[in-house]
């Protein structure tokens, strides 16, 4: 069952020294962010906070790992669409 307050970010990322396609599955960075316990915000607002956090972790990790793929992250974080 999917967690209702979960943000998931997937970014293709082949680390330095590895060849694309040599692994059984593609290399990637994945970030899962969710809440435990009570939160001050709920619904769409909480999902946006989780997406912002996961996106920033992915962006910083991508830059630190020096992935072979050329990716530019937009300066503006993605927005949760209106319901």
């Amino acid at each position: 069952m999917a967690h209702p307050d979960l943000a998931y970010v997937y970014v293709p990322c082949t680390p330095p020294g590895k060849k694309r396609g040599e692994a059984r599955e593609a290399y990637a960075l994945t970030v899962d962010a969710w809440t435990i316990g009570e939160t001050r915000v709920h619904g769409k607002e909480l999902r946006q906070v989780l997406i912002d956090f996961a996106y920033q972790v992915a962006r910083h990790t991508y830059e630190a790992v020096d992935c072979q793929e050329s990716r530019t992250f937009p300066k503006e974080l993605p927005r949760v669409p209106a319901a």
Side-chain angles (χ1 to χ4, degrees), residues 9-11 13 29-31 51-67 71-79:
V9 177
Y10 171 93
V11 181
C13 175
L29 295 173
T30 58
V31 178
I51 289 169
D52 291 350
F53 176 78
Y55 186 84
Q56 291 174 358
V57 168
R59 179 172 47 197
H60 291 296
T61 304
Y62 185 88
E63 292 168 1
V65 172
D66 195 26
C67 300
R71 175 173 303 275
T72 302
F73 287 84
K75 292 182 190 232
E76 293 292 321
L77 296 174
R79 301 288 86 189

Side-chain angles (χ1 to χ4, degrees), residues 1-82:
M1 182 172 156
H3 193 286
D5 297 320
L6 170 71
Y8 177 78
V9 177
Y10 171 93
V11 181
C13 175
T14 304
K18 299 291 183 180
K19 293 182 181 177
R20 292 182 199 180
E22 75 179 4
R24 285 184 161 188
E25 296 183 21
Y27 291 104
L29 295 173
T30 58
V31 178
D32 294 336
W34 64 91
T35 61
I36 298 174
E38 294 296 316
T39 60
R40 288 185 291 161
V41 296
H42 299 85
K44 180 182 174 184
E45 187 177 1
L46 177 57
R47 284 189 296 281
Q48 188 64 61
V49 170
L50 292 172
I51 289 169
D52 291 350
F53 176 78
Y55 186 84
Q56 291 174 358
V57 168
R59 179 172 47 197
H60 291 296
T61 304
Y62 185 88
E63 292 168 1
V65 172
D66 195 26
C67 300
Q68 293 179 32
E69 290 79 4
S70 177
R71 175 173 303 275
T72 302
F73 287 84
K75 292 182 190 232
E76 293 292 321
L77 296 174
R79 301 288 86 189
V80 173

